Amino acid sequence: MAQEQRTFFIDQHGCAKNQVDGELMVSLLRKKGYAPVFSADKADLIIVNSCGFIESAKTESLNAVLAARERYPNAKILLAGCLAERYAAELSEQLPEADGIFGNGDLAQLEKLIEPLMAGAHPVLVPAQRGVCGGDRDLLLSFAGAAYVKITEGCNNRCSFCAIPIIRGQLRSRPAADIVAEIASLVAKGVYEINLIGQDLAAYGTGADDNVFGQGRTCLPKGTPGAVDSPDDTADSPRESGLCSLLKAISAMNGTFRVRLLYIHPDHFNPDILPVIKQDDRLLPYFDIPFQSGDDATIRAMNRVGSAVAYKNLVAQIRSYFPDAAIRTTFLTGFPGETDEAAQRTQDFLRAIEADWSGCFPYSKEDGTPAAAFRPPVPKKTARARANALAAIQAELTRERLARRTGKIYDVLVEEVLVPPAGHDDEGLAIGRAWFQAPDVDGSVVIRYDRSDKAAVAAVQSGRLVRVRVVSSGDVDLNGDFVADSPLNATIAAPALLFAEDLTRG
């Protein structure tokens, strides 16, 4: 009698980089004959792909393990991800609810752990960190039509508040040819939107062992220790950044797609990418730049070298190229030593740059980071109040900037087609995103269409582009009317990838 196929459920936590790790684990397990399910009560194995970045995220991941053990006593539970990477030794003793622990340094090692785990052992495996984990992903944990592509791992910036170098290690960059090949593969399988991710895209190609273009460390500025001369160097021209060279390689690709850059550290933003983006409308003028503070003393305490003036000038430079650019940023409030005056300067800074989107978070004290020892601490209540004040400013800015988009027509990537309420069968509703809306973190476009219109029903499908005229705006989202099927669909490959929603529907 054939053995019944084993099933697994993956419980995702954390950032987009962690999502890519989750997708890689899904593909590895599928190759071993395991079947993914999207209801934990049907799973033989539950993987909690954890976040270990800040205290609230760590607590959420631990609670997920405890809840899984209580609700699904017969399932094997594997704690994976950043929390497992950072605290494997402690958790192997203090978290008996987890049947195994697996770090994220080398995801290919999962196959060494999975069979002992399922056989009843309690394995703990934290592989050595190497390269940037990659490989085929045959199922994406996102809405149809979009994918994340990781180009770096780890970070060398050493911001005083950040635990990422502790968790993910030193900066490593993927070879450019591998990135281009992965994008080409995804586009050939029907993915339209590519979101490039890494802890700091600006640092692409500058890691200690990076050789992303096959010519050594040619991405370092000339004269930097360890830099290797490039055949393209001239005496008078500045060295082209690795990110710029990568975008040029992507721009040289054929095909219909759009590329968004997520997370560029402001202290070494690559200005040479601006003309490259300007020349190819497939490269989106969307800039995710985590300024963290608008107060110079706080910026320096964060181990950053910029200033409020320099950061304002950077935003002005971007908007001189792209008046319609979308700017996303992040702020930490209540950083040790932040005064009321410093908090006010950050509020003034946010108003000055007029960000389209921002995340505002109270500071979280993280073990092993320099800032954990900084004094004086700011009361949590004060930090939350300052975050709320920034969020209120951002809400006003977002409303104003979204209002400017009314009356315009955009190609919108449809994410979800909603079931009409009873008695309103002809009123079609769908949710999608325009180019200035990144997945998961920004607002959406609510698409209205006539369900008695066969052409509209055929066009408004998950993973497809539709032309939408924006008729109104709100606090976060836009409302629009379907205009037509996008002509770009004619040049987008037929879908050949599974997405989480496909299995959910199945």
Side-chain angles (χ1 to χ4, degrees):
M1 179 184 244
Q3 184 179 3
E4 186 175 350
Q5 187 177 32
R6 284 174 169 169
T7 58
F8 71 95
F9 171 83
I10 187 160
D11 181 12
Q12 276 293 131
H13 297 265
C15 64
K17 296 179 287 295
N18 219 35
Q19 178 176 317
V20 171
D21 290 349
E23 292 166 350
L24 290 167
M25 287 191 284
V26 167
S27 294
L28 286 166
L29 286 171
R30 292 187 77 199
K31 288 176 182 176
K32 288 188 67 66
Y34 284 70
V37 293
F38 285 81
S39 178
D41 60 357
K42 299 178 181 178
D44 301 310
L45 167 65
I46 297 172
I47 301 173
V48 177
N49 193 23
S50 64
C51 178
F53 185 47
I54 58 176
E55 194 62 37
S56 59
K58 289 185 279 189
T59 300
E60 177 186 288
S61 296
L62 288 173
N63 286 341
V65 173
L66 299 177
R69 173 52 65 219
E70 180 180 355
R71 296 173 189 168
Y72 313 110
N74 296 323
K76 297 294 184 183
I77 299 173
L78 176 64
L79 175 65
C82 288
L83 193 66
E85 177 74 19
R86 187 176 183 186
Y87 297 109
E90 297 94 321
L91 293 175
S92 64
E93 297 179 359
Q94 301 170 11
L95 192 66
E97 291 82 0
D99 295 299
I101 294 176
F102 180 57
N104 54 19
D106 182 2
L107 298 175
Q109 301 300 312
L110 178 63
E111 62 181 350
K112 291 183 179 180
L113 171 140
I114 206 68
E115 291 309 321
L117 172 72
M118 299 307 292
H122 285 70
V124 176
L125 180 58
V126 184
Q129 293 173 336
R130 63 174 189 83
V132 180
C133 295
D136 292 334
R137 290 177 284 158
D138 51 14
L139 188 153
L140 301 183
L141 303 172
S142 57
F143 289 107
Y148 294 107
V149 172
K150 193 186 294 189
I151 71 169
T152 68
E153 187 62 276
C155 187
N156 290 347
N157 290 324
R158 298 289 175 180
C159 297
S160 63
F161 56 84
C162 184
I164 290 299
I166 301 171
I167 301 170
R168 297 265 182 175
Q170 295 295 305
L171 173 72
R172 294 98 70 196
S173 305
R174 289 178 71 188
D178 289 357
I179 297 168
V180 170
E182 181 174 13
I183 293 173
S185 175
L186 290 167
V187 171
K189 294 175 181 176
V191 173
Y192 171 66
E193 180 179 287
I194 303 295
N195 295 283
L196 300 184
I197 57 172
Q199 193 58 32
D200 177 14
L201 301 190
Y204 176 74
T206 65
D209 298 317
D210 284 352
N211 184 14
V212 294
F213 297 106
Q215 299 174 341
R217 301 184 75 202
T218 56
C219 297
L220 293 172
K222 288 182 288 188
T224 302
V228 173
D229 291 339
S230 166
D232 299 325
D233 284 346
T234 64
D236 299 324
S237 68
R239 172 77 54 89
E240 183 173 276
S241 73
L243 183 59
C244 176
S245 299
L246 176 63
L247 290 182
K248 285 183 176 180
I250 294 171
S251 183
M253 297 171 58
N254 295 321
T256 301
F257 55 85
R258 68 186 183 197
V259 172
R260 181 182 289 106
L261 307 178
L262 294 179
Y263 200 102
I264 300 178
H265 194 292
D267 283 351
H268 34 90
F269 182 93
N270 320 89
D272 56 358
I273 69 175
L274 298 175
V276 179
I277 295 172
K278 185 84 170 178
Q279 292 166 9
D280 189 342
D281 59 10
R282 298 175 302 177
L283 307 180
L284 301 179
Y286 181 106
F287 301 93
D288 180 4
I289 310 171
F291 293 115
Q292 305 299 3
S293 176
D295 171 69
D296 287 355
T298 305
I299 291 169
R300 287 191 296 274
M302 290 177 169
N303 197 32
R304 294 181 165 209
V305 299
S307 66
V309 169
Y311 293 163
K312 289 175 190 176
N313 289 341
L314 172 57
V315 172
Q317 181 183 21
I318 291 170
R319 288 194 169 132
S320 71
Y321 272 86
F322 307 102
D324 199 31
I327 305 290
R328 162 166 275 281
T329 188
T330 308
F331 295 101
L332 282 182
T333 61
F335 189 80
E338 184 188 55
T339 63
D340 289 340
E341 293 77 14
Q344 182 61 55
R345 281 189 279 273
T346 296
Q347 293 178 26
D348 295 342
F349 173 82
L350 175 55
R351 290 191 180 95
I353 65 170
E354 295 186 343
D356 295 79
W357 316 99
S358 71
C360 311
F361 306 101
Y363 165 75
S364 174
K365 180 179 178 180
E366 292 303 310
D367 297 338
T369 63
F374 288 1
R375 298 291 183 270
V378 175
K380 291 183 178 180
K381 183 177 179 180
T382 302
R384 286 194 296 269
R386 291 173 181 174
N388 291 339
L390 284 174
I393 295 168
Q394 185 58 64
E396 179 182 349
L397 291 171
T398 298
R399 282 193 297 271
E400 292 174 355
R401 295 191 67 80
L402 288 177
R404 301 177 193 180
R405 301 194 183 277
T406 57
K408 298 180 181 180
I409 295 176
Y410 295 100
D411 278 319
V412 175
L413 178 62
V414 179
E415 292 190 328
E416 294 182 89
V417 179
L418 305 180
V419 177
H424 298 268
D425 293 346
D426 289 342
E427 296 180 14
L429 281 178
I431 305 295
R433 290 183 296 103
W435 69 264
F436 46 84
Q437 296 164 319
D440 300 322
V441 292
D442 299 335
S444 301
V445 178
V446 179
I447 307 161
R448 288 178 165 81
Y449 64 102
D450 185 354
R451 283 176 54 85
S452 66
D453 182 343
K454 292 183 178 179
V457 172
V460 182
Q461 300 291 330
S462 179
R464 290 178 59 87
L465 292 169
V466 292
R467 290 273 165 90
V468 177
R469 177 180 286 106
V470 176
V471 296
S472 65
S473 61
D475 292 345
V476 177
D477 300 325
L478 296 169
N479 300 297
D481 292 335
F482 170 82
V483 174
D485 190 25
S486 171
L488 293 176
N489 287 319
T491 56
I492 296 175
L497 271 173
L498 276 177
F499 290 84
E501 62 183 288
D502 297 323
L503 294 189
T504 303
R505 286 197 300 264

